[in-house]
Amino acid sequence: MTGTQISYFFHCYRHLWLFTHKIDMEHNSDLVAMGKFISESTYERKKHEIAIDDIVLDNYDYKTNTIHEVKKSDKMEETHVWQVKYYISVLKTNGIEGVKGKIDYPKLRQTVDVELTEKDEEEIFNIKNRIKEILDQEKPPAVINKPFCKSCAYFDLCYV
Ligand code: SF4
């Protein structure tokens, strides 16, 4: 399971299903492109990439045992925190203990510290089971009619 899937779980079940079933319209989204640009440019000089299981961390600092995530969003969201908690749990499962997370918001000029608790690990277990249930459905979940649908890469598919 990837961090992107964890993120989409919090965002929209339908988005999670469409993305995982390879219905790819992400290239249509300016927001996705902007996110990638900020992510790639902000830490260009101190990239330490690590790939483990299904996840790829663009910026894992070995010296401080810290995962850095960059979010282009102009607001902090629960999904960002859970994505990093998930990354920490994957590293822990692979024997890398004591990992911390930092989410950097360049637009807000703020950083959020993330830790993984035992309770979080239980919650991640539940989230992964719920994601499997959603993905096992034959058809995508219903549209959710949220304001952010207008900026979603799947807007045309869902509403037009
Ligand atoms: S447009 Fe809305 S309902 Fe459709 S996938 Fe995106 S967030 Fe979900």
Side-chain angles (χ1 to χ4, degrees):
M1 196 163 291
T2 68
T4 302
Q5 287 172 307
I6 297 287
S7 175
Y8 288 159
F9 171 78
F10 284 93
H11 173 70
C12 167
Y13 294 169
R14 183 178 171 87
H15 196 137
L16 168 69
W17 192 99
L18 292 170
F19 172 80
T20 307
H21 287 81
K22 313 266 186 234
I23 300 168
D24 183 11
M25 298 177 77
E26 298 268 303
H27 58 279
N28 288 341
S29 170
D30 289 345
L31 286 175
V32 171
M34 174 69 84
K36 279 186 179 155
F37 171 75
I38 289 179
S39 176
E40 284 164 9
S41 59
T42 306
Y43 285 96
E44 200 169 17
R45 289 186 190 164
K46 50 177 179 176
K47 268 194 171 175
H48 304 279
E49 193 172 285
I50 179 172
I52 193 163
D53 289 351
D54 288 338
I55 64 168
V56 178
L57 303 176
D58 291 337
N59 198 308
Y60 170 66
D61 189 331
Y62 294 87
K63 287 182 188 161
T64 60
N65 204 15
T66 304
I67 295 166
H68 288 272
E69 269 287 298
V70 182
K71 295 297 181 190
K72 53 105 185 139
S73 172
D74 54 12
K75 67 176 186 205
M76 298 169 185
E77 294 177 34
E78 187 189 17
T79 179
H80 302 158
V81 172
W82 279 105
Q83 193 175 3
V84 174
K85 283 180 188 282
Y86 175 65
Y87 292 152
I88 296 172
S89 77
V90 171
L91 293 185
K92 187 176 177 186
T93 304
N94 284 276
I96 305 173
E97 303 266 354
V99 178
K100 302 179 289 293
K102 280 190 184 294
I103 307 173
D104 298 294
Y105 292 88
K107 281 188 182 174
L108 300 172
R109 297 183 182 277
Q110 289 196 45
T111 300
V112 173
D113 292 320
V114 181
E115 287 183 358
L116 182 74
T117 66
E118 275 184 30
K119 202 168 168 221
D120 294 334
E121 288 181 82
E122 285 172 24
E123 186 59 22
I124 286 170
F125 179 79
N126 293 333
I127 289 168
K128 285 166 72 177
N129 282 338
R130 184 72 188 106
I131 287 175
K132 281 178 197 148
E133 285 172 9
I134 293 166
L135 298 181
D136 280 346
Q137 294 175 19
E138 277 186 28
K139 292 182 181 172
V143 297
I144 56 174
N145 286 306
K146 295 281 185 185
F148 57 74
C149 286
K150 286 181 186 155
S151 56
C152 175
Y154 292 114
F155 180 80
D156 287 355
L157 185 75
C158 293
Y159 296 102
V160 177

